[in-house]
């Protein structure tokens, strides 16, 4: 994985410039200014918005405050989905900054899970990692780790510490030399065009005749509606263009794709499918977005 | 029989399941292929009606958690883990404030909004999905 290090860093340090605005019907003692923040794509909303909460609570009375929740254009944002996924799915075709509305009342029970503490986020994150390892290594690697290793993984994410995180995560990304890859690849495909929450299936990294599977193979197999190989330059819903023959690395439309392939692979929330030799991989165009938005406005 | 099970799962909180427990549900004749050994190979088309079919779930109690009289259930694929938790709590007559955790492979607790159909596809074996349930956190 060391030769992929710059990709890993790009994924980890991806940021989305966001403007938080208090919902107009919230009761305030004085005007609430919007709050700007660069959100880490790989993290979770309730993990990184303490400052947002404090900012708005300063102008509200205690009795008007209950559990915070976030919404974008009327859609409650699931905190247990990675930030980058939420953005790609809902807002990637809109101009930056990402405008999120903050609520402290009328928690939408049907749409959102409660997040009473950071422990809940940690439990969710660790469960995802464990589920991924169940697919990759029959849980052998994660189970062989000590509790402190699990803790280090979480602390790395919580404190935005790339090296701390990857010191442990690299073990979850290894496989025996005699194998060609993981047992199954942990992936989830999210689309706005369907009722289903996501597509998740068993998928081997290598075909029965020893060929390494590509991202294109995966999509063709589990999400055939997203690709139309017979028609040249087919434009997908959401204007993402994919070359019909899936030639290397040209999955364009990092911003515009409504098909957000979340490849988990125990990075936890990672949108980039990490390549190994014949695998495809694609980057988000995030860095350019940040510069265009005018970085001065945003804090890390 | 299967219908009875399904309607029990859909009952609102006010209707508590009584002592009359339907007998063990037998798997439907058209059981999906055991997914654990089936690697997805290119060209395999998934039957369109698949999402309508039910899957078999086997519930196992952990620790001193009460054991359910009926352990095997046919459940719709789109049923969520939260739906299953609510059902088990009602069935075991647990108080709403009591917690219940569900585990897959005795290793991870899926998110409450996860669909059992997806879990069955990825972690089922021998035509069923085995889930362990516990009143306390068993596998962290």
């Amino acid at each position: 994985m060391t030769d992929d290090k710059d990709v890993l860093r790009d994924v980890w340090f991806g940021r989305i410039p966001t403007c938080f605005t208090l919902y107009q019907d919230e009761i305030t003692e004085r005007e609430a200014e919007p709050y700007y923040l660069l959100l880490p794509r790989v993290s979770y909303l309730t993990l990184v918005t303490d400052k947002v909460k404090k900012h708005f609570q300063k102008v509200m009375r205690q009795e008007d405050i209950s559990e915070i929740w976030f919404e974008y254009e009327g859609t409650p944002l699931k905190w247990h989905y990675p930030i980058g996924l939420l953005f790609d799915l809902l807002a990637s075709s809109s101009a930056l900054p990402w405008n999120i509305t903050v609520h402290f009342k009328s928690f939408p029970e049907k749409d959102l899970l409660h997040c009473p503490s950071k422990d809940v986020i940690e439990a969710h994150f660790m469960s995802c990692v464990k589920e991924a390892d169940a697919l990759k290594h029959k849980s052998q690697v994660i189970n062989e780790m000590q509790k402190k290793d699990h803790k280090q993984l979480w602390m790395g994410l919580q404190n935005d510490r790339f090296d701390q995180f990857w010191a442990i995560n690299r073990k979850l990304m290894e496989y025996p030399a005699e194998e060609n890859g993981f047992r199954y690849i942990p992936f989830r495909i999210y689309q706005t065009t369907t009722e289903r929450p996501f597509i998740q299936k068993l998928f081997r990294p290598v075909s029965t005749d020893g060929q390494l599977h590509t991202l294109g193979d995966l999509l063709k197999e589990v999400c055939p509606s997203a690709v139309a190989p017979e028609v040249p330059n087919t434009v997908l819903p959401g204007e993402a263009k994919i070359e019909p023959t899936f030639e290397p690395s040209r999955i364009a439309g990092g911003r515009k794709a409504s098909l957000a392939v979340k490849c988990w692979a125990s990075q936890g929330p990672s949108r980039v499918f990490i390549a190994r030799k014949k695998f495809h991989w694609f980057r988000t165009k995030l860095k350019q977005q940040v510069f265009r938005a005018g970085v001065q406005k945003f804090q890390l | 029989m299967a219908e009875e099970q399904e309607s029990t799962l859909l009952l609102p909180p006010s209707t508590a399941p009584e002592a009359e427990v339907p007998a063990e549900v037998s798997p439907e004749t058209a059981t999906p292929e055991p997914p654990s050994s089936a690697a997805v190979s290119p060209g395999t088309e998934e039957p369109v009606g698949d999402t309508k079919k039910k899957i078999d779930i086997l519930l196992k109690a952990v620790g001193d958690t009460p054991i359910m009289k009926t352990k095997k259930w046919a459940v719709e694929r789109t049923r969520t883990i939260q739906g299953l938790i609510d059902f088990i709590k009602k069935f075991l007559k647990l108080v709403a404030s009591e917690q219940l955790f569900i585990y897959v492979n005795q290793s991870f607790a899926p998110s409450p909004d996860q669909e059992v159909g997806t879990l069955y596809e990825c972690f089922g074996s021998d035509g069923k999905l085995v889930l362990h349930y516990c009143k306390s956190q068993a596998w962290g």
Side-chain angles (χ1 to χ4, degrees):
Chain A
M1 282 245 109
T2 41
D3 44 345
D4 295 323
K5 198 136 195 212
D6 52 350
V7 176
L8 301 183
R9 294 192 79 90
D10 275 354
V11 172
W12 182 268
F13 291 108
R15 295 288 187 269
I16 297 170
T18 308
C19 173
F20 290 92
T21 307
L22 189 64
Y23 181 54
Q24 60 196 16
D25 288 358
E26 299 288 333
I27 300 164
T28 58
E29 294 182 319
R30 52 187 184 284
E31 180 87 31
E33 292 283 315
Y35 191 86
Y36 292 89
L37 195 57
L38 275 172
L39 297 178
R41 288 181 56 93
V42 299
S43 192
Y44 300 97
L45 275 173
T46 41
L47 190 58
V48 298
T49 49
D50 281 345
K51 286 184 184 169
V52 178
K53 191 159 75 165
K54 281 202 188 87
H55 169 81
F56 289 117
Q57 287 181 343
K58 271 197 294 225
V59 302
M60 297 173 72
R61 292 176 312 175
Q62 195 53 43
E63 57 262 38
D64 297 322
I65 297 169
S66 51
E67 187 172 353
I68 194 173
W69 58 278
F70 305 96
E71 161 246 313
Y72 173 70
E73 294 195 341
T75 304
L77 298 177
K78 297 184 200 282
W79 65 263
H80 68 292
Y81 282 13
I83 290 169
L85 171 65
L86 289 170
F87 176 78
D88 292 344
L89 211 50
L90 302 171
S92 57
S93 52
S94 304
L96 292 171
W98 187 16
N99 286 302
I100 293 182
T101 307
V102 181
H103 294 256
F104 288 98
K105 283 198 318 263
S106 311
F107 192 89
E109 300 284 342
K110 288 196 168 56
D111 300 300
L112 299 182
L113 302 176
H114 282 281
C115 188
S117 72
K118 299 274 189 297
D119 292 343
V120 172
I121 314 173
E122 179 179 2
H124 166 72
F125 173 74
M126 288 311 302
S127 231
C128 288
V129 174
K130 287 177 185 174
E131 184 173 354
D133 204 55
L135 292 169
K136 290 191 293 183
H137 303 117
K138 292 206 258 194
S139 303
Q140 275 160 11
V141 177
I142 195 75
N143 284 346
E144 268 164 20
M145 286 181 180
Q146 295 178 12
K147 190 90 183 111
K148 67 176 175 68
D149 294 332
H150 292 184
K151 203 67 182 176
Q152 182 171 334
L153 208 57
W154 166 248
M155 296 303 286
L157 179 71
Q158 184 180 29
N159 300 328
D160 192 27
R161 297 279 311 276
F162 175 86
D163 290 321
Q164 187 181 34
F165 180 87
W166 271 98
I168 307 300
N169 198 43
R170 64 176 178 82
K171 298 181 215 168
L172 292 162
M173 294 299 279
E174 288 166 352
Y175 46 83
E178 58 270 21
E179 311 286 331
N180 253 324
F182 302 132
R183 184 162 187 253
Y184 298 106
I185 296 187
F187 73 90
R188 284 180 180 169
I189 295 179
Y190 296 79
Q191 293 172 282
T192 50
T193 50
T194 164
E195 284 294 303
R196 311 174 63 175
F198 52 75
I199 300 170
Q200 178 182 338
K201 292 193 166 130
L202 294 178
F203 190 81
R204 291 200 193 272
V206 187
S207 70
T208 41
D209 54 358
Q211 294 294 310
L212 289 179
H213 279 138
T214 63
L215 179 57
D217 293 330
L218 171 67
L219 292 177
K220 268 187 257 183
E221 175 57 36
V222 306
C223 194
S225 57
V227 298
E230 317 84 47
V231 183
N233 287 335
T234 301
V235 176
L236 298 182
E239 307 92 60
K241 271 194 188 185
I242 294 187
E243 292 301 322
T245 51
F246 290 100
E247 289 312 323
S249 75
R250 269 313 165 189
I251 303 200
R255 275 194 298 161
K256 296 192 175 195
S258 69
L259 169 67
V261 181
K262 176 189 172 214
C263 264
W264 213 359
S266 118
Q267 164 106 13
S270 161
R271 189 172 168 271
V272 174
F273 186 75
I274 304 294
R276 192 123 193 145
K277 295 183 182 146
K278 290 186 190 175
F279 283 107
H280 290 322
W281 45 294
F282 60 96
R283 296 161 182 254
T284 62
K285 303 251 187 317
L286 193 65
K287 279 188 179 161
Q288 293 122 331
Q289 290 176 3
V290 170
F291 285 119
R292 276 200 283 274
V295 187
Q296 310 88 294
K297 228 183 182 182
F298 303 106
Q299 337 168 5
L300 262 153
Chain B
M1 207 41 109
E3 286 313 299
E4 224 171 300
Q5 301 288 19
E6 187 48 32
S7 58
T8 308
L9 285 167
L10 287 172
L11 282 173
S14 54
T15 317
E18 288 306 326
E20 269 62 57
V21 173
E24 298 237 326
V25 179
S26 50
E28 287 181 87
T29 46
T31 314
E33 229 186 320
S36 57
S37 52
V40 180
S41 54
T44 311
E45 280 282 272
E46 196 174 351
V48 172
D50 221 37
T51 43
K52 301 267 194 316
K53 287 188 189 164
K54 291 187 186 166
I55 56 132
D56 289 330
I57 288 183
L58 182 63
L59 296 171
K60 293 191 169 179
V62 177
D64 58 357
T65 314
I67 300 172
M68 290 182 69
K69 283 207 188 72
T70 304
K71 298 179 182 52
K72 208 168 172 208
W73 297 87
V75 182
E76 277 190 350
R77 286 168 179 265
T78 51
R79 174 78 39 191
T80 61
I81 287 291
Q82 185 60 55
L84 203 57
I85 287 174
D86 293 339
F87 173 72
I88 297 172
K89 281 168 75 168
K90 262 185 299 194
F91 202 90
L92 295 177
K93 297 191 170 55
L94 297 182
V95 182
S97 58
E98 279 181 279
Q99 287 190 299
L100 193 77
F101 300 90
I102 288 190
Y103 294 93
V104 177
N105 276 11
Q106 297 180 76
S107 62
F108 67 90
S111 182
D113 61 346
Q114 199 144 333
E115 293 184 347
V116 296
T118 303
L119 291 171
Y120 171 80
E121 288 216 23
C122 295
F123 303 104
S125 59
D126 302 323
K128 61 185 183 300
L129 176 67
V130 177
L131 296 175
H132 286 80
Y133 62 94
C134 190
K135 289 207 287 185
S136 54
Q137 282 195 305
W139 288 284

